[in-house]
Amino acid sequence: DAGVIQSPRHEVTEMGQEVTLRCKPISGHNSLFWYRQTMMRGLELLIYFNNNVPIDDSGMPEDRFSAKMPNASFSTLKIQPSEPRDSAVYFCASRRDKDNEQFFGPGTRLTVL
Amino acid sequence: SQQGEEDPQALSIQEGENATMNCSYKTSINNLQWYRQNSGRGLVHLILIRSNEREKHSGRLRVTLDTSKKSSSLLITASRAADTASYFCATHLKGAQKLVFGQGTRLTINP
């Protein structure tokens, strides 16, 4: 298995632009999680899905952030418009419901200028 | 405030020594997990301890859990340079499907 796949690995954009991050979870995993990691705030859960349905989006910082999971093998996290304070590493993780362990992707390093 | 807080924030030891990291949390948990993150990489699951367990071993890792004190410790014995990484505790809260991560301990093993 290739593990959790995220793209792009690095993204540099200018303030005001739309950014779309992509994630392919491990096949057979029911839950998908989006995290953001910064030096100041550590690892924060933004949103998680179970069976493609958003369960808890209380960590989404504001309306500029949105996430979708149209099917079991794909999810997107969109920021529109982006701001410099959105600069961070964004991780996607997936898990099978009967297990507790989360499997993390390699992350997308986002820089908003 | 953070559910899980690690102590110390940074630890530097010589290769071959043991490394101990601590984690404290605030609310009731189903289990507590430890993850490792190498620089520039995603987190990797190391070990899980359930709320009804007190100690667990996996290779050179030993985890303890004291639910009365709401604390856990991760011991890495006979450390190696490859153990250099950040280590995070994550609590699986009762009634929730999500994990809450601490701020992490940055461990450096000097050759």
PDB file of all heavy atoms in Angstrom, chain A residues 31 35 37 40-43 45 48 50 56 91 95 100-102 104-105, chain B residues 2 31 33 35 37 41-43 45 48 50 88 92 97-99 101 103:
ATOM      1  N   SER A  31     -12.231   6.730   8.098  1.00  0.00           N
ATOM      2  CA  SER A  31     -12.148   8.090   8.629  1.00  0.00           C
ATOM      3  C   SER A  31     -10.966   8.839   8.029  1.00  0.00           C
ATOM      4  O   SER A  31      -9.900   8.260   7.807  1.00  0.00           O
ATOM      5  CB  SER A  31     -12.001   8.077  10.155  1.00  0.00           C
ATOM      6  OG  SER A  31     -13.167   7.576  10.771  1.00  0.00           O
ATOM      7  N   TYR A  35      -5.237  18.060   9.403  1.00  0.00           N
ATOM      8  CA  TYR A  35      -4.562  18.769  10.476  1.00  0.00           C
ATOM      9  C   TYR A  35      -3.737  19.906   9.893  1.00  0.00           C
ATOM     10  O   TYR A  35      -3.318  19.877   8.748  1.00  0.00           O
ATOM     11  CB  TYR A  35      -3.596  17.839  11.223  1.00  0.00           C
ATOM     12  CG  TYR A  35      -4.211  16.722  12.016  1.00  0.00           C
ATOM     13  CD1 TYR A  35      -4.447  15.476  11.436  1.00  0.00           C
ATOM     14  CD2 TYR A  35      -4.519  16.887  13.368  1.00  0.00           C
ATOM     15  CE1 TYR A  35      -4.986  14.440  12.178  1.00  0.00           C
ATOM     16  CE2 TYR A  35      -5.053  15.851  14.110  1.00  0.00           C
ATOM     17  CZ  TYR A  35      -5.280  14.627  13.510  1.00  0.00           C
ATOM     18  OH  TYR A  35      -5.813  13.599  14.257  1.00  0.00           O
ATOM     19  N   GLN A  37      -0.206  22.155  11.090  1.00  0.00           N
ATOM     20  CA  GLN A  37       0.884  22.194  12.055  1.00  0.00           C
ATOM     21  C   GLN A  37       1.697  23.460  11.872  1.00  0.00           C
ATOM     22  O   GLN A  37       2.186  23.750  10.769  1.00  0.00           O
ATOM     23  CB  GLN A  37       1.799  20.975  11.918  1.00  0.00           C
ATOM     24  CG  GLN A  37       2.862  20.891  13.014  1.00  0.00           C
ATOM     25  CD  GLN A  37       3.726  19.642  12.904  1.00  0.00           C
ATOM     26  OE1 GLN A  37       4.075  19.195  11.806  1.00  0.00           O
ATOM     27  NE2 GLN A  37       4.053  19.045  14.045  1.00  0.00           N
ATOM     28  N   MET A  40       3.889  27.785  16.301  1.00  0.00           N
ATOM     29  CA  MET A  40       3.204  28.487  17.395  1.00  0.00           C
ATOM     30  C   MET A  40       2.068  27.666  18.001  1.00  0.00           C
ATOM     31  O   MET A  40       1.887  27.655  19.222  1.00  0.00           O
ATOM     32  CB  MET A  40       2.647  29.816  16.875  1.00  0.00           C
ATOM     33  CG  MET A  40       3.701  30.843  16.566  1.00  0.00           C
ATOM     34  SD  MET A  40       4.586  31.366  18.040  1.00  0.00           S
ATOM     35  CE  MET A  40       3.284  32.218  18.916  1.00  0.00           C
ATOM     36  N   ARG A  41       1.310  26.982  17.161  1.00  0.00           N
ATOM     37  CA  ARG A  41       0.075  26.343  17.632  1.00  0.00           C
ATOM     38  C   ARG A  41       0.149  24.821  17.655  1.00  0.00           C
ATOM     39  O   ARG A  41      -0.802  24.170  18.098  1.00  0.00           O
ATOM     40  CB  ARG A  41      -1.098  26.807  16.760  1.00  0.00           C
ATOM     41  CG  ARG A  41      -1.307  28.320  16.783  1.00  0.00           C
ATOM     42  CD  ARG A  41      -2.393  28.719  15.795  1.00  0.00           C
ATOM     43  NE  ARG A  41      -3.689  28.241  16.210  1.00  0.00           N
ATOM     44  CZ  ARG A  41      -4.535  28.913  16.980  1.00  0.00           C
ATOM     45  NH1 ARG A  41      -4.192  30.112  17.416  1.00  0.00           N
ATOM     46  NH2 ARG A  41      -5.705  28.407  17.304  1.00  0.00           N
ATOM     47  N   GLY A  42       1.263  24.275  17.170  1.00  0.00           N
ATOM     48  CA  GLY A  42       1.382  22.824  17.182  1.00  0.00           C
ATOM     49  C   GLY A  42       0.492  22.175  16.137  1.00  0.00           C
ATOM     50  O   GLY A  42       0.209  22.758  15.087  1.00  0.00           O
ATOM     51  N   LEU A  43       0.025  20.979  16.433  1.00  0.00           N
ATOM     52  CA  LEU A  43      -0.793  20.197  15.501  1.00  0.00           C
ATOM     53  C   LEU A  43      -2.265  20.382  15.875  1.00  0.00           C
ATOM     54  O   LEU A  43      -2.688  19.999  16.959  1.00  0.00           O
ATOM     55  CB  LEU A  43      -0.391  18.725  15.591  1.00  0.00           C
ATOM     56  CG  LEU A  43      -0.893  17.790  14.509  1.00  0.00           C
ATOM     57  CD1 LEU A  43      -0.263  18.143  13.165  1.00  0.00           C
ATOM     58  CD2 LEU A  43      -0.571  16.356  14.873  1.00  0.00           C
ATOM     59  N   LEU A  45      -6.338  19.823  14.799  1.00  0.00           N
ATOM     60  CA  LEU A  45      -7.307  19.137  13.958  1.00  0.00           C
ATOM     61  C   LEU A  45      -8.251  20.166  13.354  1.00  0.00           C
ATOM     62  O   LEU A  45      -8.859  20.957  14.070  1.00  0.00           O
ATOM     63  CB  LEU A  45      -8.103  18.123  14.774  1.00  0.00           C
ATOM     64  CG  LEU A  45      -9.216  17.390  14.028  1.00  0.00           C
ATOM     65  CD1 LEU A  45      -8.643  16.494  12.944  1.00  0.00           C
ATOM     66  CD2 LEU A  45     -10.064  16.573  14.998  1.00  0.00           C
ATOM     67  N   TYR A  48     -12.761  16.357  10.478  1.00  0.00           N
ATOM     68  CA  TYR A  48     -12.628  14.957  10.115  1.00  0.00           C
ATOM     69  C   TYR A  48     -13.936  14.402   9.560  1.00  0.00           C
ATOM     70  O   TYR A  48     -15.016  14.897   9.879  1.00  0.00           O
ATOM     71  CB  TYR A  48     -12.081  14.098  11.258  1.00  0.00           C
ATOM     72  CG  TYR A  48     -13.019  13.749  12.378  1.00  0.00           C
ATOM     73  CD1 TYR A  48     -13.775  12.571  12.346  1.00  0.00           C
ATOM     74  CD2 TYR A  48     -13.092  14.551  13.500  1.00  0.00           C
ATOM     75  CE1 TYR A  48     -14.606  12.246  13.402  1.00  0.00           C
ATOM     76  CE2 TYR A  48     -13.921  14.224  14.556  1.00  0.00           C
ATOM     77  CZ  TYR A  48     -14.666  13.064  14.511  1.00  0.00           C
ATOM     78  OH  TYR A  48     -15.484  12.725  15.557  1.00  0.00           O
ATOM     79  N   ASN A  50     -16.146  10.794   8.474  1.00  0.00           N
ATOM     80  CA  ASN A  50     -16.345   9.369   8.667  1.00  0.00           C
ATOM     81  C   ASN A  50     -17.296   8.884   7.590  1.00  0.00           C
ATOM     82  O   ASN A  50     -18.402   9.439   7.442  1.00  0.00           O
ATOM     83  CB  ASN A  50     -16.895   9.078  10.062  1.00  0.00           C
ATOM     84  CG  ASN A  50     -17.028   7.587  10.334  1.00  0.00           C
ATOM     85  OD1 ASN A  50     -18.132   7.038  10.350  1.00  0.00           O
ATOM     86  ND2 ASN A  50     -15.912   6.928  10.525  1.00  0.00           N
ATOM     87  N   ASP A  56     -16.953  16.553  12.407  1.00  0.00           N
ATOM     88  CA  ASP A  56     -16.578  17.629  13.319  1.00  0.00           C
ATOM     89  C   ASP A  56     -15.700  18.614  12.562  1.00  0.00           C
ATOM     90  O   ASP A  56     -14.585  18.273  12.179  1.00  0.00           O
ATOM     91  CB  ASP A  56     -15.835  17.072  14.529  1.00  0.00           C
ATOM     92  CG  ASP A  56     -15.483  18.143  15.567  1.00  0.00           C
ATOM     93  OD1 ASP A  56     -15.614  19.345  15.257  1.00  0.00           O
ATOM     94  OD2 ASP A  56     -15.080  17.770  16.679  1.00  0.00           O
ATOM     95  N   PHE A  91      -1.519  18.360   7.127  1.00  0.00           N
ATOM     96  CA  PHE A  91      -1.452  16.899   7.060  1.00  0.00           C
ATOM     97  C   PHE A  91      -2.838  16.311   6.895  1.00  0.00           C
ATOM     98  O   PHE A  91      -3.815  16.799   7.466  1.00  0.00           O
ATOM     99  CB  PHE A  91      -0.847  16.324   8.350  1.00  0.00           C
ATOM    100  CG  PHE A  91       0.629  16.572   8.496  1.00  0.00           C
ATOM    101  CD1 PHE A  91       1.089  17.566   9.335  1.00  0.00           C
ATOM    102  CD2 PHE A  91       1.545  15.791   7.805  1.00  0.00           C
ATOM    103  CE1 PHE A  91       2.442  17.802   9.484  1.00  0.00           C
ATOM    104  CE2 PHE A  91       2.903  16.023   7.942  1.00  0.00           C
ATOM    105  CZ  PHE A  91       3.355  17.030   8.783  1.00  0.00           C
ATOM    106  N   ARG A  95      -7.826   6.434   8.915  1.00  0.00           N
ATOM    107  CA  ARG A  95      -7.903   5.377   9.927  1.00  0.00           C
ATOM    108  C   ARG A  95      -9.059   4.454   9.605  1.00  0.00           C
ATOM    109  O   ARG A  95     -10.095   4.902   9.091  1.00  0.00           O
ATOM    110  CB  ARG A  95      -8.152   6.024  11.301  1.00  0.00           C
ATOM    111  CG  ARG A  95      -8.150   5.094  12.480  1.00  0.00           C
ATOM    112  CD  ARG A  95      -8.784   5.755  13.687  1.00  0.00           C
ATOM    113  NE  ARG A  95     -10.218   5.899  13.514  1.00  0.00           N
ATOM    114  CZ  ARG A  95     -11.009   6.632  14.289  1.00  0.00           C
ATOM    115  NH1 ARG A  95     -10.479   7.306  15.281  1.00  0.00           N
ATOM    116  NH2 ARG A  95     -12.297   6.702  14.067  1.00  0.00           N
ATOM    117  N   ASN A 100      -7.396   2.112  16.157  1.00  0.00           N
ATOM    118  CA  ASN A 100      -7.215   3.425  16.763  1.00  0.00           C
ATOM    119  C   ASN A 100      -6.100   4.233  16.107  1.00  0.00           C
ATOM    120  O   ASN A 100      -6.070   5.449  16.205  1.00  0.00           O
ATOM    121  CB  ASN A 100      -6.893   3.272  18.250  1.00  0.00           C
ATOM    122  CG  ASN A 100      -8.073   2.753  19.039  1.00  0.00           C
ATOM    123  OD1 ASN A 100      -9.032   3.479  19.271  1.00  0.00           O
ATOM    124  ND2 ASN A 100      -8.019   1.495  19.439  1.00  0.00           N
ATOM    125  N   GLU A 101      -5.194   3.543  15.437  1.00  0.00           N
ATOM    126  CA  GLU A 101      -4.021   4.197  14.870  1.00  0.00           C
ATOM    127  C   GLU A 101      -4.385   5.030  13.653  1.00  0.00           C
ATOM    128  O   GLU A 101      -5.129   4.590  12.781  1.00  0.00           O
ATOM    129  CB  GLU A 101      -3.016   3.126  14.465  1.00  0.00           C
ATOM    130  CG  GLU A 101      -1.782   3.631  13.745  1.00  0.00           C
ATOM    131  CD  GLU A 101      -0.886   2.482  13.309  1.00  0.00           C
ATOM    132  OE1 GLU A 101      -1.195   1.326  13.668  1.00  0.00           O
ATOM    133  OE2 GLU A 101       0.102   2.746  12.604  1.00  0.00           O
ATOM    134  N   GLN A 102      -3.863   6.241  13.602  1.00  0.00           N
ATOM    135  CA  GLN A 102      -4.026   7.089  12.435  1.00  0.00           C
ATOM    136  C   GLN A 102      -2.744   7.025  11.590  1.00  0.00           C
ATOM    137  O   GLN A 102      -1.645   7.032  12.133  1.00  0.00           O
ATOM    138  CB  GLN A 102      -4.304   8.539  12.839  1.00  0.00           C
ATOM    139  CG  GLN A 102      -5.671   8.730  13.474  1.00  0.00           C
ATOM    140  CD  GLN A 102      -6.004  10.186  13.719  1.00  0.00           C
ATOM    141  OE1 GLN A 102      -5.391  11.096  13.153  1.00  0.00           O
ATOM    142  NE2 GLN A 102      -7.003  10.424  14.560  1.00  0.00           N
ATOM    143  N   PHE A 104      -0.592   8.965   8.787  1.00  0.00           N
ATOM    144  CA  PHE A 104      -0.433  10.317   8.270  1.00  0.00           C
ATOM    145  C   PHE A 104       0.227  10.321   6.895  1.00  0.00           C
ATOM    146  O   PHE A 104       1.109   9.493   6.612  1.00  0.00           O
ATOM    147  CB  PHE A 104       0.437  11.147   9.224  1.00  0.00           C
ATOM    148  CG  PHE A 104      -0.293  11.658  10.425  1.00  0.00           C
ATOM    149  CD1 PHE A 104      -0.628  10.819  11.468  1.00  0.00           C
ATOM    150  CD2 PHE A 104      -0.653  12.993  10.509  1.00  0.00           C
ATOM    151  CE1 PHE A 104      -1.317  11.284  12.580  1.00  0.00           C
ATOM    152  CE2 PHE A 104      -1.337  13.480  11.616  1.00  0.00           C
ATOM    153  CZ  PHE A 104      -1.669  12.619  12.649  1.00  0.00           C
ATOM    154  N   GLY A 105      -0.189  11.287   6.079  1.00  0.00           N
ATOM    155  CA  GLY A 105       0.503  11.541   4.833  1.00  0.00           C
ATOM    156  C   GLY A 105       1.746  12.370   5.083  1.00  0.00           C
ATOM    157  O   GLY A 105       2.014  12.778   6.211  1.00  0.00           O
TER     158      GLY A 105
ATOM    159  N   GLN B   2      -4.276  22.957  25.669  1.00  0.00           N
ATOM    160  CA  GLN B   2      -3.991  21.652  25.114  1.00  0.00           C
ATOM    161  C   GLN B   2      -4.475  20.557  26.055  1.00  0.00           C
ATOM    162  O   GLN B   2      -4.282  20.621  27.262  1.00  0.00           O
ATOM    163  CB  GLN B   2      -2.481  21.516  24.889  1.00  0.00           C
ATOM    164  CG  GLN B   2      -1.956  22.379  23.761  1.00  0.00           C
ATOM    165  CD  GLN B   2      -2.323  21.817  22.404  1.00  0.00           C
ATOM    166  OE1 GLN B   2      -2.634  20.652  22.264  1.00  0.00           O
ATOM    167  NE2 GLN B   2      -2.312  22.669  21.389  1.00  0.00           N
ATOM    168  N   ASN B  31      -7.979   5.884  25.278  1.00  0.00           N
ATOM    169  CA  ASN B  31      -6.606   5.411  25.158  1.00  0.00           C
ATOM    170  C   ASN B  31      -5.683   6.602  24.943  1.00  0.00           C
ATOM    171  O   ASN B  31      -6.143   7.726  24.688  1.00  0.00           O
ATOM    172  CB  ASN B  31      -6.456   4.407  24.007  1.00  0.00           C
ATOM    173  CG  ASN B  31      -6.787   4.992  22.653  1.00  0.00           C
ATOM    174  OD1 ASN B  31      -6.053   5.827  22.132  1.00  0.00           O
ATOM    175  ND2 ASN B  31      -7.912   4.566  22.072  1.00  0.00           N
ATOM    176  N   GLN B  33      -1.989   7.553  22.856  1.00  0.00           N
ATOM    177  CA  GLN B  33      -1.081   7.058  21.822  1.00  0.00           C
ATOM    178  C   GLN B  33       0.155   7.951  21.752  1.00  0.00           C
ATOM    179  O   GLN B  33       0.085   9.143  22.054  1.00  0.00           O
ATOM    180  CB  GLN B  33      -1.802   7.055  20.463  1.00  0.00           C
ATOM    181  CG  GLN B  33      -3.080   6.231  20.463  1.00  0.00           C
ATOM    182  CD  GLN B  33      -3.831   6.316  19.154  1.00  0.00           C
ATOM    183  OE1 GLN B  33      -3.233   6.424  18.083  1.00  0.00           O
ATOM    184  NE2 GLN B  33      -5.157   6.252  19.228  1.00  0.00           N
ATOM    185  N   TYR B  35       3.229   9.152  19.075  1.00  0.00           N
ATOM    186  CA  TYR B  35       3.624   9.232  17.671  1.00  0.00           C
ATOM    187  C   TYR B  35       5.012   9.864  17.590  1.00  0.00           C
ATOM    188  O   TYR B  35       5.414  10.665  18.444  1.00  0.00           O
ATOM    189  CB  TYR B  35       2.642  10.113  16.880  1.00  0.00           C
ATOM    190  CG  TYR B  35       1.302   9.471  16.597  1.00  0.00           C
ATOM    191  CD1 TYR B  35       0.329   9.359  17.598  1.00  0.00           C
ATOM    192  CD2 TYR B  35       0.996   8.975  15.330  1.00  0.00           C
ATOM    193  CE1 TYR B  35      -0.902   8.775  17.337  1.00  0.00           C
ATOM    194  CE2 TYR B  35      -0.229   8.391  15.060  1.00  0.00           C
ATOM    195  CZ  TYR B  35      -1.173   8.295  16.065  1.00  0.00           C
ATOM    196  OH  TYR B  35      -2.393   7.715  15.800  1.00  0.00           O
ATOM    197  N   GLN B  37       7.637  12.027  14.877  1.00  0.00           N
ATOM    198  CA  GLN B  37       7.698  12.803  13.647  1.00  0.00           C
ATOM    199  C   GLN B  37       9.152  13.155  13.361  1.00  0.00           C
ATOM    200  O   GLN B  37       9.778  13.898  14.124  1.00  0.00           O
ATOM    201  CB  GLN B  37       6.864  14.086  13.747  1.00  0.00           C
ATOM    202  CG  GLN B  37       6.851  14.876  12.440  1.00  0.00           C
ATOM    203  CD  GLN B  37       6.018  16.146  12.530  1.00  0.00           C
ATOM    204  OE1 GLN B  37       5.904  16.765  13.584  1.00  0.00           O
ATOM    205  NE2 GLN B  37       5.412  16.527  11.419  1.00  0.00           N
ATOM    206  N   ARG B  41       8.567  15.265   7.885  1.00  0.00           N
ATOM    207  CA  ARG B  41       7.760  14.096   7.550  1.00  0.00           C
ATOM    208  C   ARG B  41       6.447  14.117   8.334  1.00  0.00           C
ATOM    209  O   ARG B  41       6.232  14.932   9.229  1.00  0.00           O
ATOM    210  CB  ARG B  41       8.525  12.814   7.885  1.00  0.00           C
ATOM    211  CG  ARG B  41       9.928  12.746   7.349  1.00  0.00           C
ATOM    212  CD  ARG B  41       9.954  12.538   5.858  1.00  0.00           C
ATOM    213  NE  ARG B  41       9.579  11.185   5.480  1.00  0.00           N
ATOM    214  CZ  ARG B  41      10.427  10.177   5.390  1.00  0.00           C
ATOM    215  NH1 ARG B  41      11.709  10.349   5.662  1.00  0.00           N
ATOM    216  NH2 ARG B  41      10.010   8.992   5.017  1.00  0.00           N
ATOM    217  N   GLY B  42       5.562  13.187   7.985  1.00  0.00           N
ATOM    218  CA  GLY B  42       4.326  13.021   8.743  1.00  0.00           C
ATOM    219  C   GLY B  42       4.558  12.237  10.016  1.00  0.00           C
ATOM    220  O   GLY B  42       5.633  11.706  10.255  1.00  0.00           O
ATOM    221  N   LEU B  43       3.535  12.182  10.860  1.00  0.00           N
ATOM    222  CA  LEU B  43       3.641  11.467  12.121  1.00  0.00           C
ATOM    223  C   LEU B  43       3.484   9.969  11.893  1.00  0.00           C
ATOM    224  O   LEU B  43       2.727   9.534  11.021  1.00  0.00           O
ATOM    225  CB  LEU B  43       2.574  11.947  13.103  1.00  0.00           C
ATOM    226  CG  LEU B  43       2.863  13.253  13.844  1.00  0.00           C
ATOM    227  CD1 LEU B  43       2.741  14.447  12.919  1.00  0.00           C
ATOM    228  CD2 LEU B  43       1.935  13.396  15.036  1.00  0.00           C
ATOM    229  N   HIS B  45       2.730   6.337  14.004  1.00  0.00           N
ATOM    230  CA  HIS B  45       2.243   5.757  15.250  1.00  0.00           C
ATOM    231  C   HIS B  45       3.293   4.827  15.849  1.00  0.00           C
ATOM    232  O   HIS B  45       3.879   4.004  15.142  1.00  0.00           O
ATOM    233  CB  HIS B  45       0.952   4.982  14.964  1.00  0.00           C
ATOM    234  CG  HIS B  45       0.330   4.373  16.168  1.00  0.00           C
ATOM    235  ND1 HIS B  45       0.571   3.086  16.559  1.00  0.00           N
ATOM    236  CD2 HIS B  45      -0.531   4.891  17.069  1.00  0.00           C
ATOM    237  CE1 HIS B  45      -0.122   2.826  17.654  1.00  0.00           C
ATOM    238  NE2 HIS B  45      -0.803   3.902  17.988  1.00  0.00           N
ATOM    239  N   LEU B  48       0.187   2.313  21.558  1.00  0.00           N
ATOM    240  CA  LEU B  48      -1.086   2.722  22.156  1.00  0.00           C
ATOM    241  C   LEU B  48      -1.238   2.032  23.497  1.00  0.00           C
ATOM    242  O   LEU B  48      -0.911   0.846  23.624  1.00  0.00           O
ATOM    243  CB  LEU B  48      -2.232   2.331  21.221  1.00  0.00           C
ATOM    244  CG  LEU B  48      -3.682   2.589  21.661  1.00  0.00           C
ATOM    245  CD1 LEU B  48      -4.562   2.787  20.433  1.00  0.00           C
ATOM    246  CD2 LEU B  48      -4.243   1.453  22.507  1.00  0.00           C
ATOM    247  N   ARG B  50      -4.239   1.532  26.506  1.00  0.00           N
ATOM    248  CA  ARG B  50      -5.647   1.744  26.815  1.00  0.00           C
ATOM    249  C   ARG B  50      -5.804   2.242  28.252  1.00  0.00           C
ATOM    250  O   ARG B  50      -4.920   2.053  29.084  1.00  0.00           O
ATOM    251  CB  ARG B  50      -6.426   0.447  26.600  1.00  0.00           C
ATOM    252  CG  ARG B  50      -6.331  -0.056  25.177  1.00  0.00           C
ATOM    253  CD  ARG B  50      -7.218  -1.253  24.913  1.00  0.00           C
ATOM    254  NE  ARG B  50      -6.947  -1.829  23.613  1.00  0.00           N
ATOM    255  CZ  ARG B  50      -7.364  -1.311  22.459  1.00  0.00           C
ATOM    256  NH1 ARG B  50      -8.080  -0.205  22.455  1.00  0.00           N
ATOM    257  NH2 ARG B  50      -7.066  -1.898  21.322  1.00  0.00           N
ATOM    258  N   PHE B  88       5.132  12.924  20.085  1.00  0.00           N
ATOM    259  CA  PHE B  88       3.857  13.516  20.483  1.00  0.00           C
ATOM    260  C   PHE B  88       2.994  12.480  21.195  1.00  0.00           C
ATOM    261  O   PHE B  88       2.913  11.328  20.755  1.00  0.00           O
ATOM    262  CB  PHE B  88       3.073  13.995  19.253  1.00  0.00           C
ATOM    263  CG  PHE B  88       3.726  15.122  18.516  1.00  0.00           C
ATOM    264  CD1 PHE B  88       4.688  14.872  17.548  1.00  0.00           C
ATOM    265  CD2 PHE B  88       3.375  16.438  18.775  1.00  0.00           C
ATOM    266  CE1 PHE B  88       5.300  15.909  16.852  1.00  0.00           C
ATOM    267  CE2 PHE B  88       3.965  17.483  18.083  1.00  0.00           C
ATOM    268  CZ  PHE B  88       4.932  17.213  17.128  1.00  0.00           C
ATOM    269  N   HIS B  92      -7.154   9.939  23.035  1.00  0.00           N
ATOM    270  CA  HIS B  92      -8.425   9.600  22.406  1.00  0.00           C
ATOM    271  C   HIS B  92      -9.480   9.796  23.488  1.00  0.00           C
ATOM    272  O   HIS B  92      -9.568   9.000  24.428  1.00  0.00           O
ATOM    273  CB  HIS B  92      -8.390   8.166  21.896  1.00  0.00           C
ATOM    274  CG  HIS B  92      -9.615   7.783  21.139  1.00  0.00           C
ATOM    275  ND1 HIS B  92      -9.832   6.501  20.680  1.00  0.00           N
ATOM    276  CD2 HIS B  92     -10.698   8.492  20.739  1.00  0.00           C
ATOM    277  CE1 HIS B  92     -10.988   6.459  20.042  1.00  0.00           C
ATOM    278  NE2 HIS B  92     -11.523   7.649  20.058  1.00  0.00           N
ATOM    279  N   GLN B  97     -14.319  10.544  18.366  1.00  0.00           N
ATOM    280  CA  GLN B  97     -13.569   9.743  17.404  1.00  0.00           C
ATOM    281  C   GLN B  97     -12.205  10.338  17.122  1.00  0.00           C
ATOM    282  O   GLN B  97     -11.395   9.738  16.447  1.00  0.00           O
ATOM    283  CB  GLN B  97     -14.330   9.645  16.088  1.00  0.00           C
ATOM    284  CG  GLN B  97     -15.628   8.867  16.172  1.00  0.00           C
ATOM    285  CD  GLN B  97     -16.215   8.651  14.799  1.00  0.00           C
ATOM    286  OE1 GLN B  97     -15.504   8.327  13.845  1.00  0.00           O
ATOM    287  NE2 GLN B  97     -17.517   8.835  14.678  1.00  0.00           N
ATOM    288  N   LYS B  98     -11.946  11.522  17.645  1.00  0.00           N
ATOM    289  CA  LYS B  98     -10.730  12.203  17.253  1.00  0.00           C
ATOM    290  C   LYS B  98      -9.659  12.113  18.320  1.00  0.00           C
ATOM    291  O   LYS B  98      -9.921  11.784  19.476  1.00  0.00           O
ATOM    292  CB  LYS B  98     -11.032  13.674  16.963  1.00  0.00           C
ATOM    293  CG  LYS B  98     -11.575  14.443  18.161  1.00  0.00           C
ATOM    294  CD  LYS B  98     -11.967  15.858  17.751  1.00  0.00           C
ATOM    295  CE  LYS B  98     -12.465  16.653  18.950  1.00  0.00           C
ATOM    296  NZ  LYS B  98     -12.895  18.021  18.550  1.00  0.00           N
ATOM    297  N   LEU B  99      -8.423  12.390  17.902  1.00  0.00           N
ATOM    298  CA  LEU B  99      -7.288  12.470  18.802  1.00  0.00           C
ATOM    299  C   LEU B  99      -6.951  13.932  19.053  1.00  0.00           C
ATOM    300  O   LEU B  99      -7.112  14.773  18.170  1.00  0.00           O
ATOM    301  CB  LEU B  99      -6.056  11.793  18.194  1.00  0.00           C
ATOM    302  CG  LEU B  99      -6.101  10.295  17.975  1.00  0.00           C
ATOM    303  CD1 LEU B  99      -4.815   9.824  17.305  1.00  0.00           C
ATOM    304  CD2 LEU B  99      -6.316   9.568  19.291  1.00  0.00           C
ATOM    305  N   PHE B 101      -3.666  16.120  20.094  1.00  0.00           N
ATOM    306  CA  PHE B 101      -2.221  16.005  20.192  1.00  0.00           C
ATOM    307  C   PHE B 101      -1.636  17.059  21.113  1.00  0.00           C
ATOM    308  O   PHE B 101      -2.117  18.203  21.168  1.00  0.00           O
ATOM    309  CB  PHE B 101      -1.578  16.141  18.805  1.00  0.00           C
ATOM    310  CG  PHE B 101      -1.743  14.927  17.940  1.00  0.00           C
ATOM    311  CD1 PHE B 101      -2.912  14.725  17.221  1.00  0.00           C
ATOM    312  CD2 PHE B 101      -0.740  13.980  17.854  1.00  0.00           C
ATOM    313  CE1 PHE B 101      -3.082  13.597  16.428  1.00  0.00           C
ATOM    314  CE2 PHE B 101      -0.885  12.848  17.064  1.00  0.00           C
ATOM    315  CZ  PHE B 101      -2.054  12.659  16.350  1.00  0.00           C
ATOM    316  N   GLN B 103       1.969  19.252  22.321  1.00  0.00           N
ATOM    317  CA  GLN B 103       2.890  20.104  21.576  1.00  0.00           C
ATOM    318  C   GLN B 103       4.166  19.376  21.193  1.00  0.00           C
ATOM    319  O   GLN B 103       4.928  19.865  20.360  1.00  0.00           O
ATOM    320  CB  GLN B 103       3.250  21.338  22.412  1.00  0.00           C
ATOM    321  CG  GLN B 103       2.092  22.278  22.649  1.00  0.00           C
ATOM    322  CD  GLN B 103       1.794  23.134  21.426  1.00  0.00           C
ATOM    323  OE1 GLN B 103       1.550  22.650  20.328  1.00  0.00           O
ATOM    324  NE2 GLN B 103       1.798  24.430  21.614  1.00  0.00           N
TER     325      GLN B 103
END
